[in-house]
């Protein structure tokens, strides 16, 4: 204390300054610890973890078939590309690259469905994990352009229709068919009602 006084310093002020510095160091250490914990949690929240949690929370109203389709599309097309990426690190460029890979293969409908599911996943993640934004929403306009372009390059292919002049030959072939009675009945049901094939199948 005498040494501080000899230097023209106030010992009481020096004590307060030291205490304040100690408190600041403690606060900074706690903040750094919180930042490290948050970063660790963020790394643990990979795209796969968040997507699976979304499917579990949302899938209660899904049919088993739809749940299997969603799971399969994520497993086949999303997880191999960004499954291990922390969800907070996913950027619009990741989404565009993922969907472009599908569009380049002509899988327009698959890309559309994956796009819808990714949008729902990030919308949920933004609310649950306080993400700053939805990268799918940010890339929506560009995704729309690419999907339209892919549709032009890969027009939908429908089953050919039976021409009117071909109908008599088709009916003769149906009468001559000696397969299952159920199949015969469904063939005539389709011809007489013009129902969809899957509707006729489910009617059995």
């Amino acid at each position: 204390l005498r040494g501080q006084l000899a230097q023209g310093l106030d010992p009481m002020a020096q004590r307060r300054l030291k205490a304040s510095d100690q408190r600041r160091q403690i606060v900074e250490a706690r903040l750094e610890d919180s930042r490290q914990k948050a970063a660790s949690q963020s790394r643990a929240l990979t795209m796969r973890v968040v997507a699976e949690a979304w499917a579990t929370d949302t899938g209660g109203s899904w049919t088993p078939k739809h749940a299997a389709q969603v799971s399969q599309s994520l497993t086949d097309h999303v997880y191999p590309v960004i499954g291990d990426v922390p969800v907070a690190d996913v950027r619009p460029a990741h989404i565009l690259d993922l969907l472009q890979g599908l569009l380049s293969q002509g899988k327009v409908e698959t890309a559309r469905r994956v796009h819808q599911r990714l949008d729902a996943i990030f919308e949920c993640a933004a609310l649950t994990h306080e993400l700053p934004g939805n990268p799918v929403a940010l890339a929506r306009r560009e995704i729309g352009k690419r999907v339209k372009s892919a549709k032009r390059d890969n027009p939908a292919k429908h089953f050919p229709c039976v021409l009117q002049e071909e109908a008599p030959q088709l009916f003769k072939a149906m009468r001559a068919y000696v397969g299952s009675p159920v199949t015969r009945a469904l063939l005539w049901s389709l011809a007489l009602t013009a129902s969809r094939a899957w509707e006729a199948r489910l009617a059995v």
Side-chain angles (χ1 to χ4, degrees):
L1 297 178
R2 286 175 182 155
Q4 290 176 345
L5 288 170
Q7 296 175 28
L9 301 175
D10 181 353
M12 186 61 71
Q14 293 300 308
R15 186 180 300 173
R16 292 196 190 99
L17 185 62
K18 183 178 180 180
S20 176
D21 189 53
Q22 289 175 339
R23 286 194 299 271
R24 181 180 56 79
Q25 291 177 357
I26 292 172
V27 170
E28 287 180 350
R30 288 177 179 172
L31 287 173
E32 181 59 26
D33 185 53
S34 297
R35 281 193 290 267
Q36 290 180 357
K37 286 181 179 178
S40 177
Q41 291 174 352
S42 177
R43 287 192 296 272
L45 282 173
T46 63
M47 185 64 203
R48 182 192 299 268
V49 170
V50 173
E52 289 176 349
W54 165 80
T56 301
D57 293 341
T58 312
S61 59
W62 297 344
T63 64
K65 180 181 178 181
H66 181 65
Q69 289 174 341
V70 171
S71 176
Q72 194 66 48
S73 69
L74 295 175
T75 300
D76 291 346
H77 307 301
V78 175
Y79 299 155
V81 181
I82 57 173
D84 296 328
V85 178
V87 69
D89 292 343
V90 177
R91 299 291 179 262
H94 292 109
I95 304 300
L96 289 171
D97 289 345
L98 188 157
L99 296 178
Q100 186 61 51
L102 294 172
L103 294 173
S104 298
Q105 300 174 49
K107 299 179 178 179
V108 179
E109 181 60 22
T110 300
R112 188 185 68 80
R113 292 179 185 274
V114 170
H115 170 229
Q116 288 178 338
R117 287 157 192 169
L118 286 173
D119 193 24
I121 290 168
F122 278 102
E123 186 176 282
C124 179
L127 296 173
T128 306
H129 304 295
E130 299 182 354
L131 296 184
N134 178 348
V136 181
L138 294 173
R140 184 169 291 137
R141 181 172 295 182
E142 180 61 25
I143 292 170
K145 291 179 182 178
R146 297 189 184 191
V147 169
K148 286 182 180 179
S149 175
K151 283 183 177 179
R152 286 195 300 269
D153 296 338
N154 301 274
K157 296 179 181 179
H158 301 288
F159 290 112
C161 67
V162 177
L163 300 177
Q164 184 175 348
E165 56 270 21
E166 296 174 344
Q169 183 180 352
L170 173 63
F171 292 149
K172 287 179 182 178
M174 289 169 59
R175 288 193 185 94
Y177 178 67
V178 293
S180 161
V182 173
T183 304
R184 287 170 56 89
L186 284 177
L187 282 173
W188 284 105
S189 174
L190 286 170
L192 295 171
T193 64
S195 62
R196 295 177 182 273
W198 68 269
E199 290 172 339
R201 180 175 59 81
L202 294 177
V204 176

